[in-house]
Every structure is written in structure tokens, then in C-alpha cells.
Amino acid sequence: MSIRILAIEDEKPIADFLIRGLTEEGYQVEHAPDGQSGWLALQQQTWDLVLLDWWLPGEDGINLLKRFRTRNRTTPVLFLTARDGINERVNGLDAGADDYLTKPFAFEELLARIRALLRRPTQSDSLHLEFSDIKVDLARQSATRAGEPLDLTAKELSLLIYFLRNPHRVLTRTRIYETVWDENFDGLSNTLEVHVKELRRKLEKLGPRVISTRRGQGYILEESSTCSDA
Ligand code: CA
């Protein structure tokens, strides 16, 4: 039996993209274009996973999620947020979302998140990210390395979360900028470098380097044994 996904999304181009892409991947997708029809679909049928937009006509995603969680704790919910604002993400996770994705997103990343959520045995396991001895608790918005707390700013934490979600992949400065800063990268600012430097400094107080620079390309999160640059 195929996996059933409910997509609650009012923007037609995004909804069409989700329905087409996920159907091609073998998922059975139903679409609800607003809060009311989304709520009906949540009540009347069971789903393996729910994709939930933040801003919806009728009832917005966060209220829908809160109501849904009062009666269903286990169905994974992936939040689609339009901005990478930390408050939205925290509110979404607090309201019971298992994960979130910031628009615009790459379809490949959406698929990876869906696979990960469908693999997860319980909700409580889904609120953590890990790489080597680094851990992030998404619900608490806190991070540790080797069991020691990391005192990160909100931006450094967002940056670390982005690296942890994309290990062993070169992340271009443009991509990081657009995802973590939610702004267009002008190619001149050194803001990103400053934050990476500070994040590294804090991480490296507790262990070896894990964020490498790939000259002319960007950054990559990798095991310290393969981490080569200074
Ligand atoms: Ca929307």
C-alpha cells in the first residue's frame, strides 16, 4: 500500500509542484487548499505524513497543527515556512511539528526530509539533529558538543542546524545566505564568514574542526579526519 501524504497548501504553484513531484515518487498525495478543508481531511482520514503550510486562508497552519496535536500525537507533520524566522520555527516545533522546511526549497531536500520523518519511530526522536559528537535539540533550540553546552547566538544555531541537515555536502555561500539569512547574497558581505568563524571557534573549544572551507565553493560539514583546511 502506498504512503499517503496530505498537503495543506494554498499557493497553487507550490501545491501543483508537490502533488506532481510526490506522485512521481510513488506517494499517494491529497491536497487541501485552505485551513477548513485541511482540518476536514485531518479529521476524516488517516495520513502517514502531513505537509503543512504556515500561512493559509481560513485557519492558519499553526492553529491547525495545535488542534490536530490535541487528538493525534504521532502523525509526522512537516511545516512549510515562508521565511526562515527563528520565531516561526520555534512556534512550529512547539506546536508539535516534527520538522520544517523553508520556502523556496529544493525538491530533493523535501524528499529527504519526508523519508527521514517516515523512518522515525517516535515523535520524540525526531526533534534532534546529530553529527559526530555534536547534537542539536530542535525543540529546546539548544546545542551540545561532547555533552557540553554550546553557547550559540540564534544565527549561529541556525547556521549549525543548516550544516547538520546537509552533512558531507558543499554548501555554497549563496545557498547558506539565502537559507539562513533569508536574503539575497550580494557577494560582498563578510557577515557569513564572521558567523562561520565564530561558530567554528565555539565548536573547536570542545573538539576538532568539522566545518571545512572549500575555496571558491563554500563550506562543508565533514568528519574531522577528512577536514583538511586551516
Ligand atoms: Ca500560504
Side-chain angles (χ1 to χ4, degrees):
M1 215 176 82
S2 66
I3 291 165
R4 302 182 73 244
I5 296 178
L6 172 64
I8 307 176
E9 169 62 74
D10 62 308
E11 286 162 74
K12 199 170 181 303
I14 298 177
D16 289 347
F17 167 75
L18 290 172
I19 295 164
R20 192 177 60 244
L22 293 172
T23 304
E24 279 171 11
E25 292 294 319
Y27 295 109
Q28 191 187 325
V29 189
E30 298 288 331
H31 171 233
D34 55 51
Q36 280 84 0
S37 60
W39 180 241
L40 273 180
L42 287 171
Q43 282 182 298
Q44 291 173 348
Q45 298 180 53
T46 55
W47 305 95
D48 296 303
L49 186 137
V50 177
L51 297 174
L52 181 60
D53 185 28
W54 178 276
W55 297 110
L56 290 166
E59 183 170 11
D60 62 24
I62 188 109
N63 285 324
L64 213 55
L65 178 61
K66 284 179 185 162
R67 278 213 280 159
F68 182 54
R69 282 302 186 221
T70 62
R71 60 182 74 197
N72 177 313
R73 301 296 312 167
T74 53
T75 303
V77 174
L78 176 59
F79 226 132
L80 305 175
T81 76
R83 299 176 56 79
D84 202 25
I86 196 149
N87 288 338
E88 271 194 19
R89 301 198 311 256
V90 171
N91 290 343
L93 294 168
D94 281 349
D98 298 278
D99 198 359
Y100 61 84
L101 202 51
T102 308
K103 295 178 190 175
F105 50 83
F107 190 64
E108 180 200 343
E109 189 179 5
L110 173 70
L111 289 177
R113 300 282 178 87
I114 289 174
R115 284 194 299 269
L117 285 176
L118 291 172
R119 268 200 307 271
R120 284 168 181 171
T122 64
Q123 200 206 353
S124 62
D125 289 340
S126 68
L127 294 170
H128 295 86
L129 288 171
E130 254 186 87
F131 180 86
S132 180
D133 58 353
I134 300 164
K135 291 192 176 74
V136 170
D137 182 329
L138 293 172
R140 292 200 169 85
Q141 292 282 299
S142 63
T144 60
R145 181 165 199 187
E148 295 292 319
L150 286 162
D151 184 20
L152 304 179
T153 64
K155 196 54 82 182
E156 288 159 7
L157 183 66
S158 298
L159 197 53
L160 179 62
I161 289 171
Y162 188 52
F163 277 114
L164 258 54
R165 288 196 194 283
N166 296 278
H168 308 291
R169 286 168 69 179
V170 176
L171 302 174
T172 64
R173 296 166 80 226
T174 304
R175 223 183 122 187
I176 296 171
Y177 235 94
E178 287 172 356
T179 309
V180 179
W181 271 262
D182 196 25
E183 286 167 14
N184 289 325
F185 176 53
D186 63 13
L188 296 171
S189 166
N190 69 348
T191 311
L192 176 55
E193 282 72 14
V194 171
H195 282 84
V196 168
K197 189 177 172 195
E198 193 55 18
L199 175 60
R200 273 177 171 161
R201 190 184 65 76
K202 292 178 180 178
L203 287 171
E204 289 166 22
K205 278 201 275 188
L206 300 167
R209 173 156 294 189
V210 287
I211 299 171
S212 300
T213 307
R214 290 288 170 87
R215 266 181 224 300
Q217 296 181 64
Y219 298 99
I220 182 168
L221 180 71
E222 56 187 4
E223 313 296 343
S224 48
S225 56
T226 51
C227 211
S228 52
D229 70 297

